[in-house]
């Protein structure tokens, strides 16, 4: 965490990003953004919606009747998005920008 306060860290980061974008613009960057939209956003949201519907079905099968099924469904969708799609999106975007884990 202390690295984030270091000016040298930010200078190295911006330098590596500029090299990455110069080398991969426009085809590499655009292709990665398209993959991001299709896989993380498209397929991720479909999987989350299916899991949420499955969760509601399991609750009904167990005999639990929610007072507002649409509110429970929305809460389940938002919870799963916050726990999966949003963090994966952040990591993927950092990967697109060329930020890699260093040892």
């Amino acid at each position: 965490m202390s690295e984030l306060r270091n000016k040298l860290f930010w200078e190295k980061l911006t330098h590596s990003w500029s090299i990455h974008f110069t080398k991969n613009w426009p085809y590499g960057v655009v292709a990665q953004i398209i993959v991001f939209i299709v896989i993380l956003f498209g397929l991720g949201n479909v999987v989350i919606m299916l899991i949420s519907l499955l969760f509601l079905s399991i609750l009904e099968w167990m005999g639990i009747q929610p007072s507002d099924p649409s509110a429970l469904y929305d809460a389940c969708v938002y919870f799963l998005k916050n726990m999966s799609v949003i963090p994966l999106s952040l990591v993927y975007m950092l990967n697109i920008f060329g930020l890699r884990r260093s040892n």
Side-chain angles (χ1 to χ4, degrees):
M1 187 60 106
S2 64
E3 277 189 13
L4 295 177
R5 295 185 202 127
N6 189 351
K7 184 179 178 180
L8 181 62
F9 169 78
W10 290 105
E11 288 173 356
K12 263 182 19 180
L13 186 64
T14 56
H15 180 69
S16 70
W17 283 3
S18 67
I19 289 172
H20 180 76
F21 274 112
T22 304
K23 189 171 27 171
N24 295 318
W25 183 256
Y27 303 111
V29 175
V30 172
Q32 288 176 337
I33 291 172
I34 290 170
V35 167
F36 166 76
I37 290 170
V38 170
I39 292 177
L40 277 178
F41 185 74
L43 293 177
N45 284 334
V46 169
V47 168
I48 285 173
M49 290 186 320
L50 291 175
I51 290 173
S52 298
L53 287 173
L54 180 67
F55 178 69
L56 286 175
S57 300
I58 290 172
L59 286 179
E60 290 175 3
W61 177 73
M62 292 173 53
I64 300 171
Q65 296 295 329
S67 61
D68 189 3
S70 64
L72 181 61
Y73 172 79
D74 290 341
C76 188
V77 166
Y78 296 140
F79 173 75
L80 291 173
K81 278 189 180 188
N82 285 334
M83 297 306 289
S84 62
V85 173
I86 294 170
L88 286 173
S89 300
L90 292 172
V91 169
Y92 188 79
M93 292 307 286
L94 288 173
N95 193 18
I96 287 175
F97 295 144
L99 185 64
R100 305 284 192 274
R101 186 175 184 179
S102 61
N103 293 330

